[in-house]
Amino acid sequence: MVTPVTEPKLFKLPDVGEGLTEAEIVKWHVQPGDTVEDGQTIVEIETAKAIVELPCPFDGVVTELLAAEGETVDVGVPIIAVDAGGDGAVATPVSEPPAQAAALREEGLPTANEPGMVTPEEPPKRQPVLVGYGVKEGATKRRARKASNGVAAAVPAVRPPAPRPQPVDNGLPLAKPPVRKMAKDLGIDLATVTGTGPQGSITREDILAAQAVPQAQAVPQAAPQAGVREERMPVKGVRKATAAAMSGSAFTAPHVTEFLQVDVTRTMETVKRLRELPEFADVKVSPLLLVARALLTAVRRHPMVNSTWVDGPNGAEIVVKHYVNLGIAAATDRGLIVPKVKDAQDLDLPGLARALQELTEKARAGKASPADLSDGTISITNVGVFGVDTGTPILTPGEAAILAFGQIRDMPWVHEGELAIRKVTTLALSFDHRIVDGELGSRVLRDVGDMLEDPIRMLAWG
């Protein structure tokens, strides 16, 4: 008779927003043996849009981390095992005689059903799912059989000799996630390693042995040149999503870009005066604030520029948005992201300044949520902060226009009939030529330029 053991609860990686299919484990906040509570943050993950903190959905003691930091995991795959009983013991179903299991542990080898073992026969299934739900599994877990007296009985099992890992459809030998990460960090191909663990699994010792082989057989050669000549960086997370979005946008929407040089001397004077007002005492005021207000005013005068093209079952449609979710492109260590100021048309100038500052700070700190980065209607990219005059921005997918705001610098300019040194910038407006023709694009760009030349027009037109 064998005393039944409880199985740990497995927390599967959820879909944290809009059909995401995978995420990278950035940082674990817990380790095996730690006590966790329902709602406690246990891990940070990086999706295609943002870094997200995940809370634990139950109380208990962490028994195992099933994914290593830096590993990309599919939605629905377990990432952590928690003993809900709270005794801290690793809870695993009994599938081996106790003596055989003890012998394996003395050798430092995992038992056959140790949590976290990744088998090539059961590759992760990738598909969009709802938050909190995992990917459906094709096989169910077998419970211990009950004897006639109702007591769980152990099922005798004979462990076959450890075979050499055989490649299957996905070509992945048997190994745990930490072992896979170790091999990846050391540059070792698992397909070239012979496993000595249970069922032919590859252990840490196998990886270390494989690493030592080429060193022992190395042939003295000429010293390599100093410095790294090449570096390979995996494309994932925000960069992967941005690359896919930009490629899709560039080859779907016919882009047109127009340029306009503008004397913004009065805008700079207005910015200086706004900074002295008590309404802006706790917020940063920059020329971007007035550029944003000018674009919002231009959208109100020309609603078609705030639209999206939709190919539906009954033909194409142009959906005109009578609200503005204003996107502001922000450069971060993780790549370019575009957080949105939702319903920006309803904000007064101090409110718009606070929204721009708060959202940009969140984005650069990696705290922007998927909701902050979705549902935009028109965008601004401030390339001037990099000392660039202008550019030809690519449309954010689903939007009809994006405004590039270049650096402001002193330039000779004809002002009131005389040559003078003025503050000048260059604006660039890219637009979807299916929706916005040359006349409409020119009117929008000219309106923004006129308001930046004379900010009083924002009051007259707003």
Side-chain angles (χ1 to χ4, degrees):
M1 181 179 70
V2 177
T3 303
V5 292
T6 59
E7 294 186 5
K9 289 187 176 181
L10 301 179
F11 177 42
K12 299 178 180 180
L13 180 67
D15 174 8
V16 294
E18 300 190 359
L20 299 175
T21 59
E22 65 182 15
E24 178 186 344
I25 304 298
V26 175
K27 180 181 180 182
W28 282 107
H29 290 270
V30 296
Q31 294 297 323
D34 290 351
T35 301
V36 293
E37 299 178 353
D38 185 1
Q40 175 183 340
T41 298
I42 57 175
V43 65
E44 293 179 16
I45 64 171
E46 180 179 1
T47 71
K49 294 188 174 182
I51 290 181
V52 181
E53 296 180 344
L54 294 183
C56 185
F58 30 70
D59 300 333
V61 176
V62 177
T63 61
E64 186 173 8
L65 305 181
L66 304 178
E69 292 182 357
E71 182 178 353
T72 298
V73 181
D74 291 299
V75 167
V77 172
I79 59 174
I80 188 173
V82 176
D83 180 5
D87 57 5
V90 177
T92 59
V94 175
S95 62
E96 296 165 329
Q100 187 176 356
L104 290 170
R105 293 190 185 96
E106 288 178 2
E107 297 175 7
L109 299 175
T111 57
N113 290 329
E114 183 175 352
M117 188 67 73
V118 178
T119 63
E121 290 79 9
E122 296 177 352
K125 303 175 180 64
R126 179 181 299 181
Q127 65 184 55
V129 294
L130 297 176
V131 173
Y133 289 81
V135 178
K136 295 181 180 179
E137 299 179 355
T140 58
K141 294 182 178 178
R142 184 171 18 176
R143 298 182 179 177
R145 293 188 305 180
K146 290 186 178 180
S148 57
N149 58 2
V151 179
V155 180
V158 178
R159 177 179 294 279
R164 180 185 180 91
Q166 298 296 324
V168 290
D169 291 342
N170 59 5
L172 295 178
L174 187 64
K176 293 178 64 177
V179 176
R180 294 185 180 279
K181 184 176 186 300
M182 179 180 180
K184 179 180 179 182
D185 293 341
L186 296 176
I188 295 176
D189 184 359
L190 287 177
T192 64
V193 180
T194 300
T196 61
Q199 303 176 1
S201 61
I202 298 174
T203 66
R204 292 177 180 270
E205 290 73 18
D206 297 332
I207 298 298
L208 293 175
Q211 183 189 24
V213 169
Q215 293 177 352
Q217 299 176 350
V219 178
Q221 301 195 7
Q225 295 182 3
V228 177
R229 292 172 61 83
E230 291 184 353
E231 181 181 2
R232 293 180 181 270
M233 300 176 60
V235 179
K236 55 186 178 180
V238 171
R239 294 185 187 278
K240 181 178 179 181
T242 300
M246 293 299 97
S247 297
S249 176
F251 294 103
T252 300
H255 285 54
V256 172
T257 305
E258 294 186 340
F259 306 91
L260 179 66
Q261 275 195 320
V262 181
D263 177 1
V264 292
T265 304
R266 291 182 181 178
T267 287
M268 298 305 293
E269 294 170 352
T270 302
V271 168
K272 183 178 179 180
R273 294 182 62 186
L274 289 175
R275 290 170 177 167
E276 298 171 352
L277 296 179
E279 291 82 359
F280 297 91
D282 59 343
V283 67
K284 178 181 179 180
V285 178
S286 71
L288 179 63
L289 172 62
L290 295 185
V291 173
R293 174 55 70 191
L295 182 59
L296 291 171
T297 303
V299 167
R300 184 177 302 166
R301 289 164 59 85
H302 309 283
M304 185 68 75
V305 78
N306 191 52
S307 305
T308 188
W309 180 281
V310 178
D311 289 310
N314 298 322
E317 294 180 322
I318 295 175
V319 181
V320 181
K321 312 291 180 64
H322 295 293
Y323 58 90
V324 182
N325 291 340
L326 180 63
I328 303 295
T332 72
D333 293 338
R334 299 163 47 241
L336 180 69
I337 60 177
V338 188
K340 324 293 181 184
V341 178
K342 302 298 176 66
D343 290 315
Q345 78 285 348
D346 295 332
L347 299 175
D348 58 15
L349 200 60
L352 181 60
R354 292 186 182 89
L356 290 173
Q357 178 172 308
E358 292 171 2
L359 203 57
T360 301
E361 289 176 352
K362 282 178 61 178
R364 289 175 178 163
K367 301 299 182 182
S369 68
D372 292 332
L373 304 173
S374 60
D375 300 327
T377 62
I378 195 168
S379 297
I380 298 174
T381 176
N382 184 8
V383 298
V385 296
F386 307 113
V388 174
D389 290 332
T390 189
T392 54
I394 297 178
L395 296 170
T396 302
E399 299 180 13
I402 179 171
L403 179 70
F405 173 38
Q407 69 170 328
I408 298 173
R409 56 190 181 124
D410 292 336
M411 291 184 63
W413 195 265
V414 177
H415 175 66
E416 296 180 351
E418 296 183 359
L419 188 63
I421 301 298
R422 306 286 288 180
K423 301 289 185 181
V424 177
T425 190
T426 303
L427 304 174
L429 183 71
S430 291
F431 48 86
D432 185 341
H433 214 3
R434 297 173 299 179
I435 302 173
V436 181
D437 58 23
E439 179 184 6
L440 176 57
S442 300
R443 288 183 181 277
V444 171
L445 185 59
R446 184 67 262 177
D447 278 3
V448 173
D450 287 345
M451 284 182 276
L452 294 179
E453 286 182 349
D454 185 5
I456 293 298
R457 286 195 175 97
M458 296 186 199
L459 297 177
W461 295 347

